[in-house]
């Protein structure tokens, strides 16, 4: 046999900056980022803005334009594109087409940047368009929700929904940089504020028990919208996600997905609810279901399970929403297992819990036991609502 063989590695490196009022002319963080990456080529930057963010921050577009009037290392494209926020942006392939057309019209090349300001769905959409245009345009993410600042916006995934399947089209493409501006958090609805906390609970449960205990102790402050408490949660959660991405399989070539703990049902639930249930809310339900399944399999103690369910209830998550109830083996949510396996591209791999802070992969799920788990969660919320979080 005669053949040629090639082997090479590529280093990816990017920073996540934490700041307030990113586009105030006196804030040097963004300007310094461009100064640290000099280029002889003309560099442009094209902004795409989540409509919900634009409506909540009417001063944002003028602030962006004033910022780049003062900092001219990069040429601002004056036309700022505004797209719908939320999962609708990932469901509409016409928006993807418009982004690619904008790259063409404005001459955005591989020396230039596409910056997205918005929640995780808008970042996913814009990141995908950037990754496939010219085989990769530099992408800057400016997440504006708790969930995107601590999880989806700081990783390496981009994508859109297609043929009714979540993230069916997408890429692994790290951003050039991420800028977390906590001023955007102040205008979030209570639902959006709480929603992103579930991803912190998730990563704490599979990787860091001390972080889970901290969430237990600070649940009231988090619900009360204490910004310092939330900033700590975001930074710690982001660090744990980055640590995982830096591991052996950052682009998920295998079937292991520990960071998708609680997600097999969450992805299906979002679709079944026509995305009226937010991603973080669906993840909270998925965590409750899979934690309860772990207990019924003898992997967790009931005391440990109650601590998990209690913290979810105290964070105001509706963990027994009808969309995730499993009444029999024909319940629609169970189709999420097969779709999750297809998304993995291999054998079914589900992360369960053997302890607070320790995950374990399994390769099958007993449907009858899932029915029991669903009923257990429903009964728990009926009998434990309002009870204090257990001490540790």
């Amino acid at each position: 046999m005669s053949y040629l063989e090639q082997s090479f590695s590529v280093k990816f490196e990017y920073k996540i900056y934490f700041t307030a009022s990113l586009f105030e002319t006196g804030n040097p963080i963004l300007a310094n980022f461009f100064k640290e990456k000099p280029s002889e080529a003309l560099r442009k930057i094209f902004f795409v803005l989540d409509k919900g963010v634009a409506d909540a921050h009417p001063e944002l577009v003028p602030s962006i334009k004033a910022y780049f009037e003062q900092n001219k290392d990069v040429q601002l494209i004056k036309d700022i594109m505004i797209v719908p926020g939320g999962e609708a942006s990932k469901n509409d392939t016409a928006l993807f087409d418009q982004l690619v057309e904008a790259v063409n019209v404005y001459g955005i090349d591989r020396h230039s940047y596409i910056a997205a300001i918005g929640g995780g769905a808008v970042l996913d959409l814009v990141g995908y368009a950037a990754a496939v245009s010219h085989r990769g345009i530099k992408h800057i993410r400016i997440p504006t929700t708790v969930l995107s600042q601590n999880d989806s916006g700081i990783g390496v995934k981009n994508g859109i929904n297609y043929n009714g399947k979540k993230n069916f089209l997408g890429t692994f493409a790290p951003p050039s940089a991420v800028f977390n501006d906590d001023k955007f958090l102040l205008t979030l609805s209570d639902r959006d504020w709480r929603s992103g906390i579930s991803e912190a609970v998730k990563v704490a449960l599979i990787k860091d028990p001390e972080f889970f205990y901290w969430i237990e102790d600070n649940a009231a402050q988090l619900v009360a919208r204490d910004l310092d408490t939330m900033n700590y949660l975001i930074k710690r959660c982001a660090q744990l996600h980055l640590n995982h991405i830096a591991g052996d399989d950052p682009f998920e070539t295998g079937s292991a997905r520990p960071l998708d703990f609680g997600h097999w049902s969450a992805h299906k639930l979002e679709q079944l609810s026509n995305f009226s249930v937010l991603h973080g809310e669906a993840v909270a339900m998925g965590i409750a279901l899979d934690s309860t399944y772990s207990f019924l399999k003898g992997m967790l103690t009931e005391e440990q399970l109650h601590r998990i369910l209690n913290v979810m209830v105290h964070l105001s998550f509706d963990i027994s929403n009808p969309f995730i109830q499993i009444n029999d083996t024909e319940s629609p949510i169970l189709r999420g297992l097969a779709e999750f396996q297809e998304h993995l591209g291999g054998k079914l791999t589900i992360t369960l819990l053997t302890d607070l802070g320790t995950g374990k992969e399994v390769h099958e799920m007993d449907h009858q036991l899932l029915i029991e788990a669903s009923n257990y969660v429903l009964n728990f919320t009926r009998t434990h609502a309002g009870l204090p979080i257990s001490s540790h």
Side-chain angles (χ1 to χ4, degrees), residues 79-196:
D79 293 332
I80 293 176
M81 182 175 175
I82 297 179
V83 299
E87 205 68 19
S89 65
K90 292 176 64 173
N91 290 330
D92 186 356
T93 55
L95 290 174
F96 168 78
D97 293 337
Q98 290 171 30
L99 283 165
V100 174
E101 179 61 16
V103 169
N104 180 49
V105 169
Y106 296 119
I108 308 298
D109 60 22
R110 297 182 69 185
H111 296 284
S112 298
Y113 296 85
I114 298 179
I117 306 177
V122 169
L123 301 184
D124 275 357
L125 163 69
V126 179
Y128 179 52
V132 298
S133 298
H134 296 306
R135 298 194 181 102
I137 294 170
K138 296 179 178 67
H139 178 42
I140 291 174
R141 295 184 188 150
I142 304 172
T144 59
T145 63
V146 172
L147 193 147
S148 57
Q149 288 194 5
N150 72 8
D151 177 50
S152 61
I154 55 97
V156 297
K157 297 179 183 178
N158 309 278
I160 59 174
N161 306 329
Y162 189 73
N163 278 346
K165 295 182 179 180
K166 190 172 175 71
N167 299 323
F168 187 81
L169 298 177
T171 62
F172 291 97
S176 294
V178 181
F179 295 88
N180 278 348
D181 182 343
D182 68 9
K183 294 295 185 184
F184 288 119
L185 304 181
L186 299 178
T187 56
L188 294 176
S189 69
D190 286 345
R191 281 185 72 192
D192 282 314
W193 174 278
R194 290 193 305 266
S195 176

Side-chain angles (χ1 to χ4, degrees), residues 121-324:
V122 169
L123 301 184
D124 275 357
L125 163 69
V126 179
Y128 179 52
V132 298
S133 298
H134 296 306
R135 298 194 181 102
I137 294 170
K138 296 179 178 67
H139 178 42
I140 291 174
R141 295 184 188 150
I142 304 172
T144 59
T145 63
V146 172
L147 193 147
S148 57
Q149 288 194 5
N150 72 8
D151 177 50
S152 61
I154 55 97
V156 297
K157 297 179 183 178
N158 309 278
I160 59 174
N161 306 329
Y162 189 73
N163 278 346
K165 295 182 179 180
K166 190 172 175 71
N167 299 323
F168 187 81
L169 298 177
T171 62
F172 291 97
S176 294
V178 181
F179 295 88
N180 278 348
D181 182 343
D182 68 9
K183 294 295 185 184
F184 288 119
L185 304 181
L186 299 178
T187 56
L188 294 176
S189 69
D190 286 345
R191 281 185 72 192
D192 282 314
W193 174 278
R194 290 193 305 266
S195 176
I197 301 173
S198 66
E199 294 286 2
V201 176
K202 172 207 74 178
V203 76
L205 283 173
I206 61 173
K207 289 186 175 292
D208 188 346
E210 293 298 326
F211 187 34
F212 178 76
Y213 306 151
W214 180 90
I215 294 171
E216 281 186 313
D217 292 340
N218 289 276
Q221 292 95 309
L222 289 166
V223 172
R225 300 185 64 134
D226 182 79
L227 188 59
D228 288 341
T229 307
M230 180 57 82
N231 276 334
Y232 175 84
L233 177 138
I234 286 171
K235 195 166 187 178
R236 181 63 188 147
C237 183
Q239 183 63 66
L240 290 168
H241 278 88
L242 290 178
N243 291 349
H244 177 81
I245 292 168
D248 295 332
D249 192 20
F251 289 178
E252 297 181 353
T253 55
S255 292
R257 300 284 196 284
L259 292 182
D260 278 342
F261 170 56
H263 279 58
W264 71 264
S265 56
H267 287 166
K268 188 63 181 176
L269 188 155
E270 289 178 83
Q271 181 191 352
L272 291 172
S273 74
N274 196 27
F275 300 97
S276 64
V277 174
L278 301 176
H279 177 72
E281 294 170 336
V283 169
M285 297 177 216
I287 289 171
L289 182 65
D290 286 353
S291 298
T292 305
Y293 184 93
S294 300
F295 158 66
L296 294 175
K297 287 286 287 184
M299 299 164 68
L300 274 185
T301 68
E302 192 162 31
E303 185 268 339
Q304 291 170 323
L305 172 63
H306 282 194
R307 288 175 68 173
I308 296 168
L309 299 182
N310 254 324
V311 80
M312 290 304 193
V313 170
H314 280 78
L315 290 169
S316 302
F317 287 116
D318 178 13
I319 55 175
S320 58
N321 184 293
F323 283 113
I324 205 167

